[in-house]
């Protein structure tokens, strides 16, 4: 461990004592604080009982590194411009990689999920929320669950004219072709721009049924939730 004993990083007890009146548990799990193991290192964990012992050697995965993220075009208009995000150049020993695309806040925290984990390193025809700069990220995840990330920025300007009409048209088209990721992207982008409560409510009306249509699960929930919160928050603010 990095300048630490196992007792310093363990989140579960390292010793279980048996008295004459107690029964030892069938399982004795070990949980270690995240970030305590060195990438690429090999650790031996040993379990010692009164009359026996056993050990296991664990190799810590090395996260994918050296990845790049490119956005084309680098400048566009929300709801009008279709952006393509491409990630490449990753180095890893544990292929294949899967990729998740996100927008980020200025401090690096996840803002919205653009597309959940897939094998395709490219996200085509993405609709981005107006922001200048718009912080974009790709998270590459290997077969062992280790991950690395690449980031870039784009300049996405707000649509100025016919916002409600364009928003309605765009989300209707996305919903008609059952493009789950695009429905979520359009809803989030439109919610930041539309001026009428009826259009905001329409965005929610499209998203709610999509929960059943697209059979969301696992990591996809974050994609749906990040899109849903935008129109709901905007509609609530308008009512208040």
């Amino acid at each position: 461990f990095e300048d630490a004993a196992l007792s310093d990083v363990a989140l579960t007890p390292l010793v279980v004592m048996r008295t004459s009146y107690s029964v030892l548990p069938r399982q004795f799990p070990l949980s270690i604080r995240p970030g305590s193991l060195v990438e690429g290192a090999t650790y031996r964990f040993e379990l010692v009982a009164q009359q026996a012992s056993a050990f296991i050697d664990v190799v810590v995965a090395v996260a994918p590194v050296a990845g790049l993220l490119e956005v084309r075009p680098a400048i566009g208009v929300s709801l009008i411009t279709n952006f393509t995000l491409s990630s490449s150049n990753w180095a890893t020993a544990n292929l294949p990689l899967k990729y998740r695309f996100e927008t980020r806040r200025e401090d690096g925290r996840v803002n919205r999920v653009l597309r959940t984990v897939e094998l395709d390193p490219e996200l085509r025809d993405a609709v981005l929320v107006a922001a200048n700069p718009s912080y974009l990220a790709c998270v590459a995840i290997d077969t062992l669950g280790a991950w690395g990330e690449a980031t870039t920025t784009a300049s996405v300007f707000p649509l100025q004219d016919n916002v409600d009409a364009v928003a309605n048209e765009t989300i209707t088209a996305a919903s008609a072709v059952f493009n789950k990721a695009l429905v979520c992207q359009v809803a989030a982008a439109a919610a930041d721009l539309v001026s009428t409560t009826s259009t905001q409510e329409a965005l929610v009306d499209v998203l709610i049924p999509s929960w059943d249509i697209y059979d969301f699960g696992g990591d996809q929930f974050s994609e749906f939730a990040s899109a849903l919160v935008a129109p709901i928050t905007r509609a609530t603010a308008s009512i208040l």
Side-chain angles (χ1 to χ4, degrees):
F1 296 93
E2 294 181 305
D3 299 324
L6 181 57
S7 58
D8 295 327
V9 298
L11 301 176
T12 50
L14 297 179
V15 179
V16 173
M17 302 296 293
R18 179 181 180 182
T19 68
S20 57
Y21 301 102
S22 65
V23 178
L24 287 176
R26 296 177 64 89
Q27 296 183 343
F28 184 28
L30 172 64
S31 179
I32 297 173
R33 184 179 298 112
S36 302
L37 305 181
V38 177
E39 292 184 358
T42 300
Y43 295 86
R44 173 166 293 186
F45 295 92
E46 185 175 13
L47 176 65
V48 180
Q50 187 172 5
Q51 297 178 340
S53 64
F55 68 86
I56 185 173
D57 291 332
V58 176
V59 179
V60 181
V62 178
V65 295
L68 301 175
L69 177 60
E70 179 185 6
V71 58
R72 304 184 305 273
I75 301 174
V77 178
S78 184
L79 291 181
I80 297 296
T81 304
N82 292 326
F83 294 88
T84 296
L85 283 69
S86 302
S87 189
S88 61
N89 206 53
W90 291 99
T92 179
N94 301 304
L95 295 171
L97 294 176
K98 293 184 178 181
Y99 305 87
R100 182 175 69 246
F101 291 93
E102 305 168 342
T103 62
R104 296 287 179 86
R105 303 181 191 276
E106 189 173 0
D107 61 6
R109 293 182 299 160
V110 176
N111 185 23
R112 294 189 175 101
V113 178
L114 296 174
R115 194 198 73 190
T116 52
V117 177
E118 293 183 12
L119 288 169
D120 191 351
E122 186 170 84
L123 173 60
R124 292 168 288 276
D125 298 327
V127 175
L128 300 180
V129 173
N132 185 27
S134 175
Y135 298 96
L136 307 171
C138 175
V139 180
I141 307 168
D142 68 18
T143 54
L144 299 180
W147 58 272
E149 63 180 45
T151 60
T152 190
T153 61
S155 296
V156 185
F157 297 98
L159 178 65
Q160 299 295 332
D161 301 317
N162 302 317
V163 174
D164 287 20
V166 172
N168 273 314
E169 179 182 347
T170 307
I171 199 165
T172 299
S175 182
V177 297
F178 300 100
N179 188 327
K180 169 180 61 65
L182 185 57
V183 167
C184 291
Q185 293 165 22
V186 172
D192 281 0
L193 298 175
V194 295
S195 58
T196 64
T197 302
S198 60
T199 304
Q200 294 159 2
E201 292 173 348
L203 297 178
V204 177
D205 290 340
V206 170
L207 280 170
I208 294 299
S210 70
W211 178 268
D212 296 324
I213 293 173
Y214 300 123
D215 190 24
F216 289 90
D219 190 46
Q220 293 178 331
F221 177 80
S222 60
E223 182 177 344
F224 176 83
S226 63
L228 182 61
V229 71
I232 288 180
T233 302
R234 184 66 183 272
T236 302
S238 299
I239 293 172
L240 296 177

